[in-house]
Amino acid sequence: MSGRQGEIVSAAPGGIERADLILLAIPLAFCAAYAAASLVARGYTLPVAGGSLAAGVLVVDGLFLNPPGEA
């Protein structure tokens, strides 16, 4: 044992943590949902709502369900 308590362990190789991956996934999810919905709908209301919903799910996950640890 190293005696270090509460050490944050990286979720992926290279030191990228889960919170960093969520921050990367938020705009990607928005753009993907917007692109998919814009193929189906003519206006911009449905694509923006779909993209916001997809990004909002990731925000809720990153803030409330699996919050980042203290540095």
Side-chain angles (χ1 to χ4, degrees), residues 42-67:
R42 288 188 171 247
Y44 64 89
T45 304
L46 184 62
V48 169
S52 299
L53 184 63
V57 168
L58 290 171
V59 169
V60 168
D61 177 56
L63 288 177
F64 302 111
L65 300 178
N66 298 307

